[in-house]
Amino acid sequence: MAESEPVTLPVQAGEKRGCSEDKEEEQTPSKKAKIESDQDNGGSPNQDEEELKEEASDEEEDGETFADMMKHGLTEMDVGILKYVSDHEGFSGILKERYSDFVVHEINKQGKIVHLDDLSIPADDQEVSVTEELPKESEVLTEEQKKQLSELQLFSNKEGSVFIEVVDDTKEKRTLVHKAIKTQFPGLETKTEEKEGRKFIVAYHAAGKKALAEVKSTAAPRKHFWPKNRGSFCHFALYKENKDTMDAINVLSKFLRVRPNMFSYMGTKDKRAITVQEIAVLKITAERLAHLNNCLMNLKLGNFCYKKHPLKLGELQGNHFTVVIRNISGTVEQVDQAMTSLRQTGFINYYGMQRFGTTAVSTQQVGRAILKNDWKEVVDLILKPRPGAEKEFLVRCREEWAKTQDPEAALKKLPNKRCVEGQLLRGLSMYGKKNIVTAFGLIPRNNRLMYIHSYQSVVWNTMVSRRIEAFGLKAVEGDLVLRGTTAHVLSAEEAESHSIHDIVMPLPGFDVIYPSHHIGAGYRELLSADGLDINNMRHKVKDYSLAGAYRRVIIRPTDVSWEVIRYDDPRISLVHSDFEKLENKPPPVFNKEGKYRALKMEFSLPPSTYATMAIREVLKLDTSIKKQTQLNTVWFN
């Protein structure tokens, strides 16, 4: 997605916090630009959609197993990340020792940083009015019924239900009981049943599969009253800790019993972090959303307002980052020199490691096979056994596939069929191994496109490293700049009046031009070595045709600030989060004589840039999970 995405880096200790719950042309003067809007920047295609209970707990990976897996992971060199722009001396430090060391606030389309600082409900928020003579909601349910409903709500029996008999049966009384349950126990749904001439209201968990199957066979749920003068979309700030954006939306959709596509957002945010972003949902009241705060884990909703429009991917202006690098070795002078360079010069706008997956089989390898139309290779790369530790069920699935080549047998080894491997196997089972293109199509489109975008990204990183190596930090004849929406090749005279901050480089495709100096020819050579023709980037399958795009070579962050702080306890948070401020919790106190030193930095980045590449420029350290795991393991030992 078009947005500033950090790389998810490992940690060896758990943490509990916060919420309770075309053709190469030599002298072509211009070409229409593609505005880069990578809508696949949010994680590996191997991420599973967790069950609700798992999502609520979010256990950390076992440190030893994770470290073992990362021995076979990628390094920056593997994906073309080779150069730095500054000449300061690097220093060591631990990135993301705790998820609370990485805080991201979205910058909305108005340029305002999104914060969670208000939990109140808008004044115009009114549900269907209930007759004033009726008893209050709190008086409708007995203490015993409340206890049973509370246990049901807290997952003690997700497939269970609670029956409440309506003695004085009237429509008004039933409406009040329905509303009382939904208001006081978010996540529960209700329906009316008649047994032996007696009427009952049945409460069941919205996430329960059996309960959902039952409700699908009954009448459609009652529609909520919605004032005509109120915007159809409730916008709110979503604060989340250590949870992926889509995971969070899946949790909300299950509690509210609506489809995830009722929610819209401007970009996904990192999982291993504290993040705040704007979300919009169709015709769900602020009151219903606010009630979810009583039972959500590591999520908080606030800053509610109604608007007439949803949100669209890429609409954001960027993200503001607060990052803590712990146990740094650099002196104050080194830190100041590094951060001053970041503010004044910036960093190479590489695609970060997150783009390429975390296992021995990288996403760009699959992408290259797709572009070559080598579908047998695509299947092998996704399903074959691979070195390094994986979840046991994936290991068994891969072994079964390698042994039998039987998609149904391999599929049986997967408890969750929604991972990429499961979706591909299901496709092969349905359409056969001679129809791989159709079978592959069962994988969600964004995940499929992530593979080919990953290949584009490796090419871009590699060619930018060569560009910096060849010409340094100055504009030269043959470089490309954007003029409005078109790309233009600089003449020698024009290059004199431009800086490196103006220069763009193309992602390979049929609708871009390339630099007219030798780096442009390098694109053709690189793709040719991979068995691809740069003049033929249109694919037999339209989805996999690459138009290409342009991307700035150097990015200068804005709003850059920093301080070196000392601390004694590695377990304490060093950032005062929005949620802690709402709870009136005091900010962290730093001990000037503390045993350890940390660099706390803040900066803002435009969309489609990676915060970890800015941090890499400061530390001059490899940001790959493989290298960071080695650092963390040494540190924790």
Side-chain angles (χ1 to χ4, degrees):
M1 43 289 320
E3 93 143 281
S4 317
E5 276 288 356
V7 175
T8 302
L9 290 172
V11 74
Q12 311 302 321
E15 174 173 16
K16 300 278 185 184
R17 270 176 64 89
C19 301
S20 57
E21 299 284 319
D22 301 290
K23 185 177 178 182
E24 185 182 14
E25 301 180 38
E26 294 181 1
Q27 296 297 330
T28 307
S30 67
K31 183 80 173 178
K32 200 167 185 177
K34 292 279 181 267
I35 304 303
E36 192 181 34
S37 60
D38 303 298
Q39 303 191 357
D40 59 332
N41 226 11
S44 163
N46 294 315
Q47 290 174 327
D48 298 346
E49 182 189 330
E50 300 289 348
E51 290 299 328
L52 186 58
K53 192 169 183 179
E54 292 169 349
E55 289 172 301
S57 59
D58 259 334
E59 293 295 327
E60 288 292 342
E61 295 268 15
D62 176 77
E64 210 169 43
T65 303
F66 193 81
D68 184 49
M69 181 175 81
M70 285 305 104
K71 290 176 184 175
H72 303 276
L74 298 171
T75 65
E76 290 185 344
M77 191 174 294
D78 296 325
V79 295
I81 302 173
L82 306 174
K83 297 294 179 181
Y84 298 98
V85 297
S86 57
D87 55 8
H88 73 268
E89 184 181 348
F91 52 91
S92 66
I94 309 280
L95 176 57
K96 286 196 179 183
E97 183 181 323
R98 301 174 67 80
Y99 70 74
S100 56
D101 289 345
F102 208 98
V103 181
V104 189
H105 288 88
E106 194 168 70
I107 303 172
N108 64 22
K109 52 186 177 182
Q110 288 78 37
K112 181 182 177 183
I113 296 175
V114 177
H115 283 278
L116 180 82
D117 52 19
D118 182 6
L119 300 182
S120 66
I121 297 170
D124 70 336
D125 200 70
Q126 297 173 356
E127 286 273 21
V128 182
S129 60
V130 180
T131 311
E132 290 180 11
E133 294 81 29
L134 290 170
K136 296 178 181 176
E137 288 176 15
S138 58
E139 299 169 1
V140 171
L141 304 169
T142 67
E143 291 304 316
E144 179 61 27
Q145 288 167 345
K146 289 179 182 176
K147 182 181 177 183
Q148 292 172 342
L149 291 165
S150 179
E151 289 173 355
L152 180 62
Q153 178 194 40
L154 295 174
F155 312 110
S156 54
N157 183 4
K158 201 161 68 174
E159 302 300 349
S161 55
V162 174
F163 283 73
I164 297 172
E165 185 175 2
V166 187
V167 182
D168 304 322
D169 182 31
T170 64
K171 184 176 181 181
E172 291 78 10
K173 179 69 182 292
R174 290 199 305 272
T175 299
L176 196 60
V177 176
H178 282 295
K179 187 177 179 186
I181 294 172
K182 292 179 182 179
T183 300
Q184 296 177 53
F185 302 95
L188 299 186
E189 280 295 335
T190 59
K191 57 184 176 180
T192 303
E193 280 190 6
E194 188 170 338
K195 287 186 178 181
E196 300 174 357
R198 298 154 65 194
K199 284 202 174 174
F200 294 88
I201 289 176
V202 185
Y204 59 93
H205 206 291
K209 293 176 184 174
K210 291 178 185 174
L212 280 177
E214 285 176 20
V215 81
K216 282 174 185 173
S217 66
T218 63
R222 144 182 95 84
K223 292 184 179 179
H224 292 270
F225 169 73
W226 199 267
K228 290 182 178 179
N229 61 346
R230 177 196 287 169
S232 295
F233 296 87
C234 185
H235 289 234
F236 60 94
L238 170 67
Y239 170 100
K240 62 181 182 67
E241 296 185 357
N242 205 27
K243 191 177 290 291
D244 178 78
T245 299
M246 276 313 302
D247 287 342
I249 285 175
N250 285 333
V251 170
L252 297 178
S253 67
K254 286 173 183 175
F255 271 117
L256 295 165
R257 225 191 90 206
V258 298
R259 293 177 179 174
N261 62 8
M262 301 289 275
F263 294 85
S264 58
Y265 48 89
M266 294 181 285
T268 63
K269 297 288 176 284
D270 202 59
K271 174 181 177 179
R272 186 162 182 76
I274 292 176
T275 72
V276 186
Q277 67 186 111
E278 187 176 348
I279 304 285
V281 60
L282 177 63
K283 289 192 175 179
I284 298 291
T285 64
E287 183 182 19
R288 287 185 71 192
L289 292 166
H291 279 305
L292 295 181
N293 286 329
N294 299 324
C295 59
L296 292 173
M297 296 283 288
N298 295 339
L299 299 174
K300 213 73 176 175
L301 318 180
N303 296 79
F304 304 104
C305 65
Y306 295 103
K307 297 182 181 180
K308 295 179 180 179
H309 55 82
L311 295 168
K312 295 178 182 177
L313 284 168
E315 283 185 324
L316 75 169
Q317 285 198 18
N319 292 283
H320 184 77
F321 297 88
T322 304
V323 181
V324 173
I325 311 294
R326 297 195 184 229
N327 201 37
I328 59 168
S329 64
T331 64
V332 172
E333 289 74 22
Q334 281 178 299
V335 169
D336 287 346
Q337 187 180 2
M339 292 303 299
T340 300
S341 173
L342 180 67
R343 182 166 60 191
Q344 293 179 351
T345 305
F347 62 96
I348 303 173
N349 193 22
Y350 287 124
Y351 288 97
M353 297 302 298
Q354 176 185 0
R355 188 82 158 180
F356 310 106
T358 57
T359 63
V361 178
S362 59
T363 53
Q364 75 264 21
Q365 290 177 268
V366 181
R368 180 174 58 202
I370 292 170
L371 293 172
K372 290 171 68 176
N373 217 32
D374 188 345
W375 293 99
K376 185 178 182 301
E377 175 75 355
V378 171
V379 172
D380 285 345
L381 286 169
I382 294 175
L383 295 180
K384 72 180 182 182
R386 55 188 66 178
E390 280 193 301
K391 290 179 179 178
E392 186 59 34
F393 62 80
L394 269 176
V395 174
R396 291 196 301 267
C397 171
R398 296 189 195 286
E399 288 173 349
E400 182 66 34
W401 173 257
K403 184 171 64 176
T404 67
Q405 298 284 294
D406 183 341
E408 291 187 13
L411 197 57
K412 288 177 181 177
K413 304 292 182 181
L414 292 175
N416 187 337
K417 311 294 192 284
R418 290 172 293 188
C419 59
V420 164
E421 292 83 358
Q423 290 159 330
L424 178 56
L425 286 167
R426 190 159 60 89
L428 292 169
S429 177
M430 291 170 63
Y431 302 108
K433 288 182 280 186
K434 291 184 179 179
N435 294 303
I436 296 175
V437 176
T438 308
F440 186 69
L442 258 64
I443 298 171
R445 185 174 184 271
N446 276 358
N447 284 357
R448 288 184 279 122
L449 297 186
M450 186 182 297
Y451 290 121
I452 58 174
H453 291 163
S454 178
Y455 177 75
Q456 278 183 306
S457 303
V458 168
V459 172
W460 194 90
N461 282 356
T462 302
M463 299 316 298
V464 165
S465 291
R466 293 185 188 178
R467 161 64 181 77
I468 298 293
E469 171 75 25
F471 303 118
L473 298 180
K474 63 177 182 178
V476 298
E477 181 181 5
D479 274 337
L480 301 180
V481 296
L482 288 180
R483 289 185 174 174
T485 58
T486 62
H488 171 79
V489 179
L490 291 178
S491 66
E493 184 180 359
E494 288 171 328
E496 293 294 324
S497 61
H498 286 82
S499 76
I500 190 65
H501 297 98
D502 302 321
I503 306 305
V504 298
M505 291 274 281
L507 283 88
F510 61 77
D511 202 21
V512 294
I513 62 170
Y514 297 87
S516 62
H517 46 56
H518 73 272
I519 302 300
Y523 276 87
R524 179 187 298 277
E525 294 162 9
L526 183 58
L527 267 67
S528 180
D530 283 339
L532 295 168
D533 180 1
I534 202 166
N535 296 328
N536 186 22
M537 299 302 286
R538 296 184 187 272
H539 198 278
K540 291 179 181 178
V541 182
K542 189 177 179 180
D543 264 358
Y544 312 132
S545 291
L546 292 177
Y550 300 100
R551 181 175 175 89
R552 291 199 179 276
V553 172
I554 302 291
I555 290 290
R556 259 189 303 216
T558 57
D559 309 315
V560 180
S561 64
W562 67 93
E563 63 175 322
V564 175
I565 52 182
R566 287 188 174 270
Y567 62 103
D568 284 313
D569 187 351
R571 295 169 297 180
I572 65 165
S573 172
L574 302 177
V575 179
H576 200 205
S577 72
D578 284 4
F579 181 74
E580 288 167 332
K581 292 173 185 175
L582 269 174
E583 295 277 290
N584 293 318
K585 292 183 179 178
V589 178
F590 308 122
N591 178 6
K592 291 183 179 180
E593 304 300 321
K595 182 178 178 182
Y596 306 114
R597 297 162 65 248
L599 168 58
K600 181 181 177 183
M601 63 173 89
E602 291 195 44
F603 52 88
S604 297
L605 292 176
S608 193
T609 54
Y610 288 75
T612 42
M613 294 297 98
I615 295 163
R616 170 187 180 271
E617 184 68 39
V618 171
L619 300 179
K620 293 200 170 175
L621 279 180
D622 190 323
T623 61
S624 65
I625 300 182
K626 180 176 181 177
K627 291 293 184 182
Q628 285 289 317
T629 303
Q630 292 169 0
L631 263 179
N632 283 7
T633 304
V634 170
W635 161 235
F636 281 108
N637 288 342

